[in-house]
Amino acid sequence: ELKVEQNPLFLSMQEGKNYTIYCNYSTTSDRLYWYRQDPGKSLESLFVLLSNGAVKQEGRLMASLDTKARLSTLHITAAVHDLSATYFCAVPYYNNNDMRFGAGTRLTVKP
Amino acid sequence: ETGVTQTPRHLVMGMTNKKSLKCEQHLGHNAMYWYKQSAKKPLELMFVYSLEERVENNSVPSRFSPECPNSSHLFLHLHTLQPEDSALYLCASSQVHGGAAGEQFFGPGTRLTVL
């Protein structure tokens, strides 16, 4: 069965600092998705990574995918308060028509 | 309407009530999903419908009953719920190719409180 693990689960960081969130998965997949969820809200798509070595950047966030290592990273550069949210990675569960989500990383950026 | 819509957005019900949650997707996708999100718990997949057929139900209690009349609409019928069923219920849709789900698009969710 496909397992998706994120770490850390909780991250408190100061504004201006850099940090990386990690997402490991247990079976072969050539794609991975990152989502953001604000408190009390739904999930919104952040990045779609469709191949080994894929890198996507938007603002202070950059996501990458290494399918051989079964690892994706979400790097935060010079964090700002607006980035405070929960971030989920998700991997397609082949032949099951669905997606498996990590437990989420709750990020809090403090002034 | 665009994307994925859900109604109602908030629902309070007693344990003996019967209610239904509705989801509609305007993206032309062929798969729809129900998720449950409880406080401090991971996202739980409840049901998957692909091409209007239920593919997976993840051992969800029978007090939750899904219905997918067509590829654009998904319902979750609720009856005799328990207080621990209080949660945010999220609907999502995606395009499935060869058994693999593409990017999922989520609705705004229904916040359910069971008294």
Side-chain angles (χ1 to χ4, degrees), chain A residues 1 10 31 33-35 37 39-48 86 88 90-104 106, chain B residues 6 9 31 33 35 37 40-43 45 48 50 55-56 58 88 90-91 94 96-109 111:
Chain A
E1 180 167 332
F10 297 93
R31 59 195 63 193
Y33 305 85
W34 284 96
Y35 292 85
Q37 185 179 34
K41 301 287 181 66
S42 187
L43 279 73
E44 63 176 287
S45 182
L46 270 181
F47 296 110
V48 177
T86 299
F88 293 90
V91 178
Y93 194 7
Y94 287 91
N95 300 320
N96 273 46
N97 301 298
D98 72 83
M99 197 89 72
R100 292 298 155 101
F101 284 77
R106 185 176 294 181
Chain B
Q6 288 186 244
R9 297 290 305 276
Y33 309 82
Y35 289 90
Q37 189 176 40
K40 300 180 181 178
K41 277 188 164 184
L43 203 59
L45 177 65
V48 180
S50 179
V55 175
E56 184 172 350
N58 278 317
L88 180 67
L90 293 165
C91 173
S94 75
V96 170
H97 294 289
E103 182 182 6
Q104 291 192 340
F105 292 82
F106 284 81
R111 174 71 62 186

Side-chain angles (χ1 to χ4, degrees), chain B residues 66-87:
Chain B
E67 179 189 359
C68 186
N70 55 60
S71 60
S72 299
H73 294 86
L74 185 65
F75 295 89
L76 187 63
H77 304 298
L78 317 171
H79 65 98
T80 59
L81 294 191
Q82 305 297 311
E84 61 263 29
D85 297 322
S86 299

Side-chain angles (χ1 to χ4, degrees), chain A residues 70-111:
Chain A
R70 299 178 186 171
L71 170 68
S72 179
T73 60
L74 180 65
H75 187 71
I76 303 153
T77 302
V80 293
H81 179 69
D82 285 351
L83 291 180
S84 296
T86 299
Y87 294 86
F88 293 90
C89 62
V91 178
Y93 194 7
Y94 287 91
N95 300 320
N96 273 46
N97 301 298
D98 72 83
M99 197 89 72
R100 292 298 155 101
F101 284 77
T105 297
R106 185 176 294 181
L107 170 65
T108 304
V109 180
K110 298 180 178 179

Side-chain angles (χ1 to χ4, degrees), chain B residues 18-46:
Chain B
K18 288 184 180 181
K19 296 285 183 183
S20 295
L21 309 185
K22 179 183 175 183
C23 176
E24 186 172 357
Q25 60 101 355
H26 309 268
L27 300 167
H29 289 158
N30 60 6
M32 296 184 77
Y33 309 82
W34 279 117
Y35 289 90
K36 175 184 177 183
Q37 189 176 40
S38 306
K40 300 180 181 178
K41 277 188 164 184
L43 203 59
E44 299 174 58
L45 177 65
M46 299 176 73

